[in-house]
Amino acid sequence: DVQMTQSPSSLSASVGDRVTITCRASRSISSYLNWYQQKPGKAPKLLISSASSLQSGVPSRVSGSGSATDFTLTISSLQPEDFATYYCQQSYTTPWTFGQGTKVEIK
Amino acid sequence: EVQLVESGGGLVQPGGSLRLSCAASGFTFGDYWMHWVRQAPGKGLVWVSRINGDGSSTNYAVSVKGRFTISRDNAKNTLYLQMNSLRAEDTAVYYCATDVGGPWFGEFSLDSWGLGTLVTVSS
């Protein structure tokens, strides 16, 4: 299986901060990398597919980059609605695998 | 509007069986890969299984292979997950999901999710 490792596991940040979450794959997954946001009690929401393609309706302050084994999710100016847990997920091969999640909390 | 509505969850004893259903609407169901993803209480997301549009291809997580069976009825626009030999570690909210907004018919990402159904395995 391809192991996905996110860092950090959690972070505290203030509104307006720039936030970066890293995801590393145990082997190359090309650009088959997706990012999801999940709020408590809710289903996940797809933010970015194919490493850098922003989904419709997702604000432009959110961006994704990377390829092969190293990927990044960046929120350029954190807003109150961005406090949530974020997951990366590879779809290069089955079984699909998710990172363990990064919880973004209010400082 | 795309809707995915899971049902069939509940309390089951270890070793028991349960069948989950996911009723789909708002898109051409038979064109899309469909997936099950689960989340244990307070834990992260875990992909469980997927099935292609005509049901001819399926994949499973190692942890459920041989115990769970994914299937679909395109005439009824419904996805199923038959879960046998259930264990305490199968306790989770089970989501069905697909991707109707992208170009790959759910093969590579998940943009549409149901609300989930809770499965609790306990004696």
Side-chain angles (χ1 to χ4, degrees), chain A residues 70-107:
Chain A
D70 293 302
F71 302 87
T72 298
L73 176 73
T74 299
I75 304 174
S76 60
S77 177
L78 203 64
Q79 298 302 302
E81 59 267 31
D82 299 331
F83 291 95
T85 300
Y86 294 84
Y87 295 92
C88 62
Q89 173 252 321
Q90 67 83 18
S91 56
Y92 178 75
T93 186
T94 58
W96 286 10
T97 42
F98 287 86
Q100 80 277 17
T102 295
K103 187 173 184 178
V104 177
E105 298 177 299
I106 302 172
K107 182 182 284 185

Side-chain angles (χ1 to χ4, degrees), chain A:
Chain A
D1 298 4
V2 178
Q3 307 303 316
M4 306 301 293
T5 304
Q6 283 181 239
S7 61
S9 296
S10 65
L11 65 91
S12 295
S14 300
V15 172
D17 284 353
R18 181 182 181 89
V19 167
T20 299
I21 299 169
T22 297
C23 180
R24 176 163 287 177
S26 60
R27 61 182 172 100
S28 177
I29 57 170
S30 185
S31 294
Y32 291 91
L33 190 282
N34 305 311
W35 288 99
Y36 300 85
Q37 176 196 64
Q38 188 180 32
K39 296 182 178 179
K42 301 292 187 182
K45 174 185 176 182
L46 179 65
L47 299 177
I48 288 176
S49 62
S50 303
S52 60
S53 295
L54 195 66
Q55 294 300 291
S56 175
V58 176
S60 59
R61 64 179 180 273
V62 178
S63 64
S65 64
S67 64
T69 61
D70 293 302
F71 302 87
T72 298
L73 176 73
T74 299
I75 304 174
S76 60
S77 177
L78 203 64
Q79 298 302 302
E81 59 267 31
D82 299 331
F83 291 95
T85 300
Y86 294 84
Y87 295 92
C88 62
Q89 173 252 321
Q90 67 83 18
S91 56
Y92 178 75
T93 186
T94 58
W96 286 10
T97 42
F98 287 86
Q100 80 277 17
T102 295
K103 187 173 184 178
V104 177
E105 298 177 299
I106 302 172
K107 182 182 284 185

Side-chain angles (χ1 to χ4, degrees), chain B residues 28-47:
Chain B
T28 306
F29 181 71
D31 286 349
Y32 289 82
W33 286 83
M34 295 297 298
H35 302 250
W36 289 100
V37 176
R38 70 185 182 184
Q39 187 169 37
K43 302 297 185 182
L45 300 169
V46 176
W47 178 84

Side-chain angles (χ1 to χ4, degrees), chain B residues 17-93:
Chain B
S17 298
L18 213 53
R19 188 176 84 155
L20 306 184
S21 300
C22 172
S25 61
F27 63 104
T28 306
F29 181 71
D31 286 349
Y32 289 82
W33 286 83
M34 295 297 298
H35 302 250
W36 289 100
V37 176
R38 70 185 182 184
Q39 187 169 37
K43 302 297 185 182
L45 300 169
V46 176
W47 178 84
V48 174
S49 182
R50 73 173 186 175
I51 186 168
N52 70 342
D54 64 8
S56 61
S57 177
T58 59
N59 302 101
Y60 296 91
V62 171
S63 59
V64 307
K65 199 167 188 177
R67 300 188 299 124
F68 290 11
T69 302
I70 191 171
S71 63
R72 64 192 299 159
D73 185 336
N74 288 346
K76 295 183 178 179
N77 287 350
T78 303
L79 173 72
Y80 301 101
L81 186 68
Q82 177 67 43
M83 304 186 296
N84 298 332
S85 302
L86 282 161
R87 307 166 180 166
E89 53 265 36
D90 296 317
T91 294
V93 172

